[in-house]
Amino acid sequence: KGQLISEFGVREGAQHNGITIKAPEGTPIVSAESGRVGYVGSIPGFGNVILVEHTDHQDKLVTVYAHLAEIRTKTGKKIGRKEIIGTVGTSGRANVPSLYFEVRSKSKPRNPLFFLDRSVPHEPA
């Protein structure tokens, strides 16, 4: 839960493959769905990152959680829906505490808002 500050899609000529949700530093981040943690680490620009594989889904989804302050899971762990996996932070290129969230279907980026509760306040930067 938080304020949507960056949307999926083309902006200023560049494709943005996810959304950014502003939330207070340290806010718990939960897995959008059950799955297996495929990667935990750091990626330049994204900072602390977790990738969760949802292989039971027909489209073989992967969710990406970035800019984390703290990681509370490990690679290979099976996790449940809404299980805490980390906390909101400013790692990578985040200039405010936020979560970068991405959904990939068969390796292609999909608009995460199609998969989430539509009640997220929408105020893009």
Side-chain angles (χ1 to χ4, degrees), residues 15-99:
Q15 173 66 31
H16 294 268
N17 292 331
I19 61 174
T20 304
I21 302 167
K22 181 179 174 183
E25 180 93 23
T27 299
I29 295 168
V30 298
S31 176
E33 191 54 71
S34 60
R36 185 183 69 81
V37 178
Y39 175 79
V40 169
S42 183
I43 296 175
F46 292 96
N48 296 325
V49 175
I50 299 170
L51 275 63
V52 178
E53 300 167 349
H54 309 281
T55 55
D56 290 343
H57 191 280
Q58 67 184 20
D59 292 326
K60 307 289 187 230
L61 298 178
V62 173
T63 50
V64 179
Y65 308 80
H67 302 317
L68 282 60
E70 183 181 358
I71 292 173
R72 294 187 182 173
T73 191
K74 59 184 179 180
T75 301
K77 182 178 184 221
K78 289 189 179 206
I79 58 172
R81 184 174 190 261
K82 295 191 176 183
E83 184 172 330
I84 294 173
I85 58 174
T87 62
V88 169
T90 55
S91 63
R93 286 191 295 246
N95 35 358
V96 297
S98 57
L99 167 68

